[in-house]
Amino acid sequence: MEISTLATYHCLAFVWYFFVTYSITHVRAEERPSEVFLYGGQWKYLTVLNLVLQAVFYGVSFLADVLRLIKKLRCAKCVISSRDLLFSVLAFPVSTFVSISFWTLYTYNRELVYPKSLDGVIPLWLNHAMHTAVLPFAVLEILATPHRYPAKKKGLILLGFVAFLYISWVLWIYSVTGEWVYPLFALFSPAGLAALFASSLAIIVSFYNFGEFLNRMIWGQSKFCF
């Protein structure tokens, strides 16, 4: 893909994610159901944090494209390294996890992740923007441009650290409020909850590996390994 075309795409994707993030974070307080948006607000939900992550990623990607267009190659190289690390370790695996896990649980029992009371607050298009569109965006990014993946150990350590931070945030909210971020968690004993977190981490690691596999299959080994 031409750099100018890629820059246009990344700019539009950034604007889209900025708009979606703005929309969900400006739900009027009087319309919010009592069981959601309490302590931690929208920032306790992985879905919302992922929107911010995607906005940052596409913003960095657009900056890298602009630097390449104006021939600032030394600066572009540094920004591209940050872009690739963001995409490989976080943007692709988190988006894939959010979309697949949400719709799997939604199909099984939506009250576990997205109570019906939210239908009157969050419009259908916004629900799909948060939970559906993130996956094709992530796949399209792999098709659009190659990304350099870090060494496997480094990538998995970074991913595990971010997962640890989010789990810690979830547990902190529970310790303060006595309520779980997602009703699903209330169904498990402490041991069961630990197993759930461990299995979720294993799943997101598998998405990391899948993204690396797709990148290698499409662009070749030599184009993305350090």
Side-chain angles (χ1 to χ4, degrees):
M1 186 180 292
E2 294 290 333
I3 297 177
S4 57
T5 304
L6 197 60
T8 301
Y9 163 66
H10 284 147
C11 181
L12 291 175
F14 168 74
V15 171
W16 166 252
Y17 274 113
F18 184 87
F19 170 69
V20 174
T21 303
Y22 178 87
S23 298
I24 190 60
T25 55
H26 283 75
V27 173
R28 289 184 294 177
E30 63 270 18
E31 294 182 350
R32 300 173 184 175
S34 59
E35 68 270 23
V36 297
F37 299 155
L38 298 175
Y39 184 88
Q42 294 96 328
W43 307 112
K44 62 185 177 180
Y45 297 111
L46 185 60
T47 294
V48 178
L49 296 176
N50 180 56
L51 294 175
V52 176
L53 168 64
Q54 301 305 317
V56 171
F57 165 71
Y58 282 105
V60 171
S61 297
F62 177 61
L63 175 60
D65 297 334
V66 170
L67 290 173
R68 292 170 67 193
L69 283 171
I70 63 176
K71 307 301 182 181
K72 298 290 186 179
L73 299 183
R74 181 176 296 180
C75 294
K77 184 177 180 180
C78 180
V79 176
I80 287 171
S81 294
S82 299
R83 178 204 71 183
D84 290 347
L85 191 65
L86 270 174
F87 181 77
S88 61
V89 176
L90 295 176
F92 182 84
V94 174
S95 285
T96 307
F97 179 81
V98 164
S99 183
I100 292 178
S101 62
F102 174 83
W103 288 112
T104 299
L105 291 169
Y106 185 98
T107 301
Y108 174 71
N109 182 356
R110 66 170 296 176
E111 293 299 318
L112 297 177
V113 290
Y114 194 83
K116 193 173 180 61
S117 56
L118 285 175
D119 287 347
V121 179
I122 300 176
L124 183 61
W125 74 264
L126 186 53
N127 181 21
H128 283 292
M130 295 187 297
H131 297 116
T132 306
V134 292
L135 182 54
F137 263 107
V139 173
L140 182 58
E141 178 63 22
I142 286 184
L143 297 174
T145 186
H147 295 276
R148 294 185 176 185
Y149 272 66
K152 182 63 67 72
K153 182 178 179 180
K154 177 183 177 182
L156 293 182
I157 287 175
L158 289 174
L159 178 58
F161 178 69
V162 173
F164 171 78
L165 289 179
Y166 181 68
I167 291 172
S168 298
W169 175 227
V170 168
L171 294 175
W172 172 258
I173 291 173
Y174 178 75
S175 71
V176 172
T177 66
E179 299 289 337
W180 288 109
V181 171
Y182 299 104
L184 169 70
F185 295 163
L187 302 178
F188 293 87
S189 65
L193 200 58
L196 176 65
F197 288 150
S199 61
S200 296
L201 179 58
I203 291 171
I204 202 169
V205 166
S206 71
F207 292 146
Y208 171 92
N209 290 327
F210 181 62
E212 186 178 24
F213 166 77
L214 287 179
N215 199 62
R216 182 189 301 116
M217 183 178 67
I218 295 169
W219 298 104
Q221 179 81 16
S222 62
K223 290 189 176 181
F224 69 91
C225 282
F226 287 130

